[in-house]
Amino acid sequence: MLFKPDQNEAATTGRVARVAGRARRRTVSIFITLLILGGLGYIGWTSFQQKQAANRNARPDLPVPVLAATPRVQDVPVYLEGVGSVRALNTVLVRSQVDGKLIAVNFTEGQDVKKGDVLAEIDPAIYQAQYDQAVAKKAQDEAQLANMRLDLTRYQQLAATNAGSKQQADTQRAVVAQQEALVRADQAAIDNTQTMLGYTKIIAPISGRAGLRQVDQGNIIHASDATGLVVITQLQPISVQFSLPQQQIVRVNAASAKGALTVDVFGNDGSTVADTGTLKGIDNQVDPATGTLKLKAEFPNASFQLWPGQFVNVRLKVETLPNAIVIPTSAAQRGPAGTFSYVIGDDDTVTAKPVTVIQQNETDAVIGSGLTPSDRVVTTGFANLADGSKVIVGRDEQTPSADLAPRKRRSSRDAQLPKDGERRGKKGESGQGEGDQKGQTGPAQGSDKSGAKARP
C-alpha cells in the first residue's frame, strides 16, 4: 500500500514557501532602495560641498587696495647683536692704611670726587709725635757725626807727622762711616714716619663717584678692616662686556684687523642708541659652557646713561654693504616656498617674486637678489592679495582695511537696482532729502580716490 501525503500539509508547505519568497524579495527591494537613496544623498552632499567651497574661494573681480614702496639704494651697515652688562672701568675700595680715630669725613655719598681729594682724616697726634722723634734722633746723630769728623781730621794730621799712629786714624775713619750710616737710617725713619703721618689723610686714588659711606665719623678704624671707608667707581669712561656666538669669531677678527670697530648700546626701550663706543678687547678663548666669546667695549658715558651692573643690548658694526637694495620689512613675505615680495606691474597687477633677504630689522630688509630699484613692492594690504590680482595703490597716509568677507560679483538683477546714491539723489529731487544729496557727494568722490572697494 502506497503512502499518500495529506493534502492540508502540502497546502501549508506551499503557503510558507510563498511567504518566505515574498519576504526575501521585499528585503532585497528595501536594500536596493536604501542603496540608491544613499548614493543620491552622497552625490547631493558632494555637490553641495563643492558649491560651498566655490563660493568661499570666489573672489570679487575688484581691485585690492594696497600701499606700495620703491626699493632704496643705500649703504647699509652690518651689525652683530648681543647682550651684555655694564661694568665700571675702575672700582676702588678705599681703606685706611693706618689705625686711628676718624675725626673728619670730607665727602658726601654719591658725590663725584677727583683724584687726590681728601676724603677723610684720622687723628694724626701719635704719628706726628713719631715723626718729631725721628727728626730729633737724626739731629742728635748728625751732631755726633760732626764731632767724629773733626776727630778724624786731627788723627790724620798726627799720623801724617808721625805724632800719632795710623791705626788710630783708620779706626776713627770707620767710626765716622758708622755714624754716617746711622744718620741715613735716621733719615729713613723720618721718611717712614712722614709717610705714616700722610696716611692720616685718606686720599681719593681715582676720579669717580663715591658710594655709600661705610664708617661714620668718630669711629676707630684699622688698616685690617675689610669693609673700608667707601667705594669709588669710575663712570666716565665706562665699559660694557658682552658676548657673541662662537660662529662669529672669524668675522669679528677679520673686521677688527682692518681697524677700530664701533659698538652701539641701546637704552631701556631697546631701539634708541644710548651711547656709541669702541671695541677694546676680545677674549682669548670661548666659554665652553655657553659657546660664546666675550668682548669688551668702552663708552664715554657723557650723560651717565650707563650704570654699572645694568643689562643692555649691544650691536657691533663689522662691515658696510655698499649700494644695497633696501625695502620695508613688511614687503618681505614668508611662504611655503621661501621669502617673496609682491611686485606691482605697469598694469597694476601684482606678481609674487622670490627674493633673498641678507639681513633685516623691524623697519628695513636688505635684498640680495630678486628685486631692482625700479620695482614697486606691496607693503600693506595682503589680506585679499594673490598672484595676478589687480590692485589700487593708495597714498602713504591711507591704511586700507582688509576685506574679511569678500562679496560676489553683482548679478544682472542686482545691477538693475538703483544704487544708494541714486536713491538719495532721487529723494533729494523730490524735495525730501536735499540735505542727504548735498552730504553724499563728497564722500562718494573721496571713496573713488582712496581706492576703497565698491559696494554691489
Side-chain angles (χ1 to χ4, degrees), residues 137-413:
K137 180 65 170 56
K138 180 183 178 183
Q140 179 184 0
D141 292 340
E142 285 180 340
Q144 293 178 359
L145 176 61
N147 183 49
M148 292 177 181
R149 284 174 177 170
L150 292 175
D151 291 342
L152 177 61
T153 302
R154 295 189 188 99
Y155 291 148
Q156 289 175 344
Q157 292 175 354
L158 292 175
T161 59
N162 295 322
S165 65
K166 294 183 178 180
Q167 181 180 3
Q168 188 178 10
D170 294 339
T171 302
Q172 187 64 27
R173 187 179 296 106
V175 171
V176 170
Q178 292 177 359
Q179 193 65 25
E180 289 176 347
L182 183 60
V183 170
R184 289 195 295 270
D186 292 338
Q187 181 60 46
I190 291 175
D191 295 339
N192 180 61
T193 55
Q194 186 176 12
T195 301
M196 300 300 287
L197 180 62
Y199 286 158
T200 60
K201 295 182 182 293
I202 301 177
I203 307 299
I206 62 172
S207 298
R209 178 160 296 190
L212 300 180
R213 186 176 66 250
Q214 305 295 326
V215 181
D216 296 330
Q217 180 178 341
N219 286 280
I220 302 298
I221 60 176
H222 305 276
S224 59
D225 291 342
T227 56
L229 177 64
V230 68
V231 176
I232 298 179
T233 303
Q234 183 178 355
L235 302 179
Q236 292 178 335
I238 203 167
S239 65
V240 172
Q241 181 175 308
F242 61 100
S243 300
L244 291 177
Q246 62 180 2
Q247 292 80 2
Q248 304 294 343
I249 296 177
V250 176
R251 197 172 188 181
V252 173
N253 288 333
S256 61
K258 299 178 182 178
L261 300 182
T262 303
V263 182
D264 296 329
V265 61
F266 292 93
N268 295 329
D269 57 359
S271 58
T272 304
V273 176
D275 204 353
T276 300
T278 306
L279 183 66
K280 290 298 183 180
I282 303 174
D283 199 4
N284 58 1
Q285 60 182 351
V286 175
D287 187 354
T290 60
T292 57
L293 180 68
K294 295 180 181 179
L295 301 93
K296 186 177 181 180
E298 187 175 308
F299 298 85
N301 199 26
S303 302
F304 298 102
Q305 61 271 29
L306 301 178
W307 211 253
Q310 178 183 1
F311 288 96
V312 291
N313 293 323
V314 182
R315 67 180 185 184
L316 172 65
K317 181 181 178 182
V318 293
E319 62 176 317
T320 301
L321 301 176
N323 300 325
I325 297 178
V326 182
I327 63 173
T329 301
S330 59
Q333 298 292 305
R334 267 68 179 177
T339 308
F340 68 95
S341 293
Y342 285 113
V343 179
I344 304 175
D346 296 335
D347 56 350
D348 289 340
T349 302
V350 296
T351 303
K353 288 187 176 181
V355 296
T356 302
V357 178
I358 300 177
Q359 70 171 19
Q360 70 177 30
N361 53 23
E362 292 80 3
T363 58
D364 296 327
V366 181
I367 303 301
S369 62
L371 294 178
T372 62
S374 60
D375 290 333
R376 286 188 305 166
V377 293
V378 177
T379 59
T380 306
F382 300 100
N384 300 323
L385 206 58
D387 193 6
S389 299
K390 286 282 188 178
V391 296
I392 294 178
V393 181
R395 296 187 296 271
D396 292 339
E397 65 272 9
Q398 297 171 337
T399 304
S401 59
D403 189 2
L404 300 180
R407 283 165 282 192
K408 297 181 182 180
R409 188 181 303 171
R410 288 165 53 93
S411 62
S412 59
R413 179 179 176 274

Side-chain angles (χ1 to χ4, degrees), residues 62 395 416:
L62 298 173
R395 296 187 296 271
Q416 295 176 0

Side-chain angles (χ1 to χ4, degrees), residues 424 427 432-441:
R424 288 194 294 268
K427 189 175 181 180
Q432 298 178 1
E434 186 175 358
D436 295 339
Q437 180 187 12
K438 293 179 181 179
Q440 169 265 341
T441 305

